[in-house]
Amino acid sequence: MKPAKPELLAPAGGMEALTAAVENGADAAYIGARAFSARGYASNFSEEELEKAIDYAHLRGVKIYVTVNTLLKEGEMESALILLSRLREMGTDAIIIQDLGLISLSRKYLPDLPLHASTQMTLHNSEGVAFVKELGIERVVLSREVSLEDINKIKEKNDVEIEVFVHGALCISYSGQCLMSSLIGGRSGNRGYCAQPCRKKYRLYCAGKQVKTSGSYLLSPKDLNTTSGLGALIEAGIESFKIEGRMKRPEYVAGVVRIYHRLIDRYLKNPAGYSVSEEEQETLTQLFNRGFTSGYFFGNPREKLMSRENPHNRGIPAGKVVSYDTRTKRIRIKLSNSLRLGDGIMVENAETRPEDKGKIISSMYTERGPVYNAGKGEVIEISFDSRAPSGSTVYRTHDKKLMDSLKKESEFGALRPKIPLLITATIAPGKPARLEIKDSDSNVVAVESEYLVEKAEKVPTSKAQIEKQLTKLGNTLFEAAELNVNVEGDIFIPVGQLNDLRTKAVLQLENLRVSKWKRAPLENLQLPVFGEKKATEIEENGKPGETEKRKETREIEEIKTQKLPGKPLLSVAVYSSEGLEGALAGGADCVYFGEGLYRRPKAAGKEKNSDGEEASGRSLESIFESAVLKARAAGSKIYFNTPKIVKDYEMKPVEELLSHVEKFGADGVLVSNLGTFNLAKEKKVPCIADSPMNIYNGYTFALLLQKGAEMAVISPELTLDELKEVAAYGPAECIIHGRLELMESEHCLAGGLLGKDGNQCSAPCTSGNFKLVDEKNYEFPLLMDYQCRTHLLNSRSLCMLEYVPALIESGVSSLRIETLGMDNPEEIRRITGKYRKAIDAFCETGERAKEKCEDLGKGFTTGHYFRGVQ
């Protein structure tokens, strides 16, 4: 059976890029509003420009998806919902969305607005996809780390459209799970303002000693390029192929879209003969690349994923440095490729900052003197401010001829096929001339002239003359594919009347192609009550039509009444039996037990074998059973911790862990993704929604409570004041101490740098404690798990010891100590005891703790509690 043709979805950061996408063969484009877009640094579109862009695309038969794919704070929900309401009326084909609260509200108030789940939702398993489908999501943009096998399993179990990235930049972290930019610089990737710290230099250390690495950009991946395996993706039945690049130039969009459009058609026409030409690969390479990878579709690329030597666009090699003249500041280059004036180059190993290595060639010399261009084998001289060693590679990063060609062809619109029309004309004497036109999308318009056709007295108007005028579609989007002209007798009609009739019909067809996507404003639409308004205030206003608002407020107030009474629990997340004992000895009310989630150095004596047993021979099952008994003996609650990332093939151990909850009498599980949350809900296992589920506002919180969560851990990106707003909705927990996880990566950093060749992991991560050190000498601990994923921790530990009273007054139900990277059980006992004392003192006597974070050590941070994020 012949596979269906996938949609080719192009990026557009502005109107020029949208034009380039449409004119070069995109079936759909995704664009961002000025607010709430995950590419906040792109130019994006104003509200007026959004409607113009949607109309432009719809006229040409192209769909538009608008990205409203950031996490939203409580005070932003109203503006976001109003924006969605306007986009709905404009005829947006779908919204690409991340925030669960906004999804919930839009399903309730804008039920006919299609929603696509953003890759920022970290959807990577069947259970998670099933959960969002239940919420009304029509399409899921899967995490970039899924394989074709993963996709097939997801499609087998879910009747939902699948979208994947096929070309462009990659994130080293799972999208939606990166706090690195946020905690380092206050610019949140979850809010569209990632500062890309992964593209900076880092040094790797093991057990305190620097490890020699090939390259210094240890977190910088290559760019995705799936052209060689495109046929397999088509055969998998993936509905939409997405190109990354809303921050890229229009010429980039034009070139990449054109090539992928051509390749998709080529494969569908002749799968057996499919190939990618050298010219096509060179064009893609020239447009932008950090080196290319096919990502995770066809297996784990391991070290081949990374671009450690250069995190910037390298274009294509253009030659080698012969010499550098310090007196004239000229560099001599022997060319292996052509260069011309206006081209951009980057010189490898130039003695300057990476971002300053590039240069646009404004003058160029050979032995013949000044030249406009030079070819392979020639030696040229150009001005260059920085010294570069002989033998260094020179890259052409900007091809002026290519870019000018792409720009010109896109602007003139000569690439997109004309829309075929069926034209039918009926012309009879004494009657208006009637013209009907029908396009390939079955849109039909019919117009009649005010002019009454005359009976010819001398020379009649011929059928050929009529056909000639009606098919003069000129610079319109249309062409006459079929023409039926019915003429009764000898008639006379002026050429101007035929032209007017044709122009009027085309204009009406254009209006129909655009207007049919518009949606009428919803009658009696009552948006929910936001902010500080309470039900009593609405009652006092007594305005008509407020019934739905009062109902919404009552529902919210009912959720808020679910709050746990009394002083907050003190919870501690631990990852070993020794850590559990330390937390219980320190007075923890609740522990989250995560034995077996992370690998530890062999020196610690706790490394598991392939059967999940410790070196001592104890099974994980017995360890969990023992943990419950210890917690019960101490009078504490215990929840089993589950992984943040769980592919379908990894679900069985999670299911077993869920069964252990009832078997051993644990209180439930801590879940970190929508898939494990959905599984716990189906199995009726009590669960707490952890912070990786990005609880940013009360509406997300309320949804998770309604779907079965006992409690939710609020995002660590919120300030204390914002936390207070969200905590009013129900049982909330916040993290108050410990190293926050900055990212989780499918790529095993230690294995990629130090592992042996081949697919079998040699587990170099067990040789000692690893950390990354940045250019400012901040140290970021690394943890590796049993699926060979990397977990990067913050350089400084969060500490809110002296602010415990303010946290309690915020209304949270639980305060949590996180012990990731904390191996010493005595340290866990001591820290837990300090917080235990502070909580008890304030709740029982109103006394504020005298001890401060500095009493626990040095180098602490208060995270975002007082500074927030952009």
Side-chain angles (χ1 to χ4, degrees), residues 62-79:
V62 173
K63 293 181 177 180
I64 290 289
Y65 308 137
V66 180
T67 58
V68 185
N69 57 341
T70 60
L71 296 177
L72 303 170
K73 297 181 181 181
E74 192 77 4
E76 296 170 331
M77 296 298 287
E78 182 173 17
S79 296

Side-chain angles (χ1 to χ4, degrees), residues 171-217:
C171 291
I172 187 63
S173 173
Y174 273 85
S175 295
Q177 301 303 319
C178 185
L179 296 176
M180 195 170 189
S181 174
S182 166
L183 285 164
I184 289 177
R187 291 186 283 179
S188 172
N190 285 321
R191 305 266 294 160
Y193 293 101
C194 179
Q196 294 194 311
C198 52
R199 303 293 183 186
K200 303 293 184 183
K201 286 185 176 181
Y202 295 91
R203 306 187 300 279
L204 180 68
Y205 282 75
C206 178
K209 296 181 180 180
Q210 185 172 354
V211 179
K212 186 177 181 181
T213 59
S214 57
S216 300
Y217 301 96

Side-chain angles (χ1 to χ4, degrees), residues 298-544:
F298 309 106
N300 193 325
R302 301 187 185 277
E303 74 280 356
K304 295 178 182 178
L305 178 77
M306 305 304 290
S307 175
R308 301 191 189 101
E309 291 78 21
N310 178 20
H312 305 288
N313 176 29
R314 64 184 61 175
I316 62 174
K320 296 281 187 181
V321 174
V322 175
S323 63
Y324 182 79
D325 190 325
T326 55
R327 182 180 58 84
T328 62
K329 288 192 173 182
R330 283 188 178 181
I331 193 170
R332 298 182 74 233
I333 305 167
K334 183 170 184 179
L335 297 180
S336 59
N337 215 321
S338 63
L339 282 178
R340 57 179 52 81
L341 297 187
D343 283 354
I345 62 167
M346 186 271 290
V347 181
E348 188 179 54
N349 301 322
E351 295 177 359
T352 183
R353 297 181 304 169
E355 55 268 32
D356 293 335
K357 287 184 180 180
K359 176 184 176 61
I360 298 295
I361 301 173
S362 57
S363 59
M364 183 164 54
Y365 304 88
T366 67
E367 58 185 11
R368 306 188 305 273
V371 295
Y372 174 78
N373 59 57
K376 181 178 179 179
E378 293 190 75
V379 176
I380 64 167
E381 285 190 8
I382 60 171
S383 298
F384 200 76
D385 292 335
S386 302
R387 183 194 299 270
S390 299
S392 298
T393 301
V394 178
Y395 294 92
R396 186 178 67 199
T397 56
H398 177 84
D399 185 330
K400 186 176 186 300
K401 181 179 179 182
L402 172 65
M403 292 303 218
D404 287 349
S405 171
L406 290 169
K407 182 178 176 66
K408 183 177 180 180
E409 290 174 352
S410 296
E411 285 177 348
F412 281 99
L415 298 170
R416 191 169 192 88
K418 297 272 190 177
I419 299 167
L421 297 181
L422 167 59
I423 301 175
T424 303
T426 303
I427 303 175
K431 297 179 181 179
R434 188 177 189 278
L435 179 63
E436 179 182 285
I437 55 177
K438 179 180 180 181
D439 66 17
S440 53
D441 297 315
S442 299
N443 297 301
V444 181
V445 297
V447 296
E448 291 186 348
S449 64
E450 295 181 3
Y451 168 83
L452 297 179
V453 178
E454 300 175 45
K455 183 176 176 60
E457 295 182 358
K458 296 182 179 178
V459 181
T461 303
S462 69
K463 183 177 180 180
Q465 288 175 309
I466 296 170
E467 290 175 345
K468 180 181 177 180
Q469 296 308 126
L470 294 182
T471 55
K472 282 186 176 180
L473 295 167
N475 293 326
T476 70
L477 302 173
F478 309 106
E479 64 179 2
E482 187 177 344
L483 183 63
N484 298 311
V485 176
N486 303 309
V487 179
E488 297 181 10
D490 292 336
I491 56 94
F492 172 77
I493 183 170
V495 168
Q497 289 292 334
L498 291 171
N499 291 341
D500 288 346
L501 195 64
R502 181 197 65 232
T503 301
K504 185 178 179 181
V506 167
L507 182 60
Q508 285 192 20
L509 182 60
E510 289 178 343
N511 290 336
L512 176 60
R513 289 179 65 86
V514 170
S515 63
K516 75 173 187 176
W517 298 103
K518 307 284 186 183
R519 301 180 183 92
L522 292 172
E523 293 184 11
N524 301 319
L525 173 63
Q526 296 294 332
L527 297 181
V529 179
F530 293 89
E532 298 295 322
K533 274 203 167 187
K534 306 298 181 189
T536 52
E537 294 175 350
I538 298 171
E539 297 282 359
E540 290 168 2
N541 290 338
K543 293 181 180 178

Side-chain angles (χ1 to χ4, degrees), residues 563-582:
K563 279 192 60 60
L564 298 177
K567 67 181 178 182
L569 299 173
L570 176 58
S571 300
V572 185
V574 297
Y575 302 91
S576 68
S577 297
E578 297 85 355
L580 170 71
E581 292 169 1

Side-chain angles (χ1 to χ4, degrees), residues 66 119 157 318 339-340 425 468 690 708 764 784 827 843 851 860:
V66 180
T119 191
K157 297 178 182 179
L339 282 178
R340 57 179 52 81
K468 180 181 177 180
D690 204 359
M784 283 71 175
E827 182 183 8
C843 291
E851 293 181 286
F860 290 112

